[in-house]
């Protein structure tokens, strides 16, 4: 993870029914962007939102690496994104 932004929109109380929702909203050559929401399951109100950038990294070589084609295809098929670098 190279970047994370969090926004706390509304207080979560002890009796709230909450759920998490994650989706990939952008794919680059070596990274992808996640949007994550915590929502109230009953009202669908967004309680918090997180945006983060994930980068593929080779720990042995200490450098970023390209997103494998099979990952890109799986992500674009699942998320309904265009199969192109954004």
């Amino acid at each position: 993870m190279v970047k994370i932004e969090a926004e706390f929109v509304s207080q979560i109380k002890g009796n709230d029914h909450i759920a998490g929702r994650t989706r990939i909203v952008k794919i680059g050559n070596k990274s992808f962007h996640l949007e994550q929401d915590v929502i109230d399951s009953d009202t669908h109100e967004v309680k918090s939102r997180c945006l983060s950038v994930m980068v593929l990294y080779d720990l042995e070589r200490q450098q970023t690496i390209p997103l494998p084609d099979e990952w890109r295809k799986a992500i674009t098929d699942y998320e309904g994104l265009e199969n192109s670098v954004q």
Side-chain angles (χ1 to χ4, degrees):
M1 183 178 309
V2 296
K3 181 178 182 179
I4 187 167
E5 296 176 16
E7 177 183 2
F8 302 98
V9 179
S10 181
Q11 182 180 18
I12 298 172
K13 298 179 182 164
N15 60 350
D16 288 347
H17 298 106
I18 59 168
R21 177 174 57 199
T22 299
R23 62 184 172 178
I24 296 174
V25 294
K26 183 178 177 181
I27 302 173
N29 288 317
K30 298 179 180 183
S31 66
F32 54 93
H33 297 219
L34 295 173
E35 180 180 87
Q36 299 162 304
D37 297 330
V38 174
I39 61 169
D40 184 304
S41 303
D42 298 325
T43 65
H44 303 285
E45 175 188 8
V46 175
K47 297 290 191 169
S48 68
R49 174 165 286 129
C50 176
L51 300 171
S52 56
V53 179
M54 310 295 283
V55 173
L56 280 74
Y57 195 77
D58 183 325
L59 291 173
E60 290 180 13
R61 294 188 179 123
Q62 294 290 299
Q63 63 186 26
T64 58
I65 56 176
L67 189 73
D69 290 338
E70 60 270 15
W71 288 25
R72 181 180 304 282
K73 180 173 179 357
I75 292 167
T76 56
D77 288 351
Y78 183 81
E79 296 289 0
L81 298 171
E82 289 186 35
N83 194 8
S84 62
V85 178
Q86 297 183 14

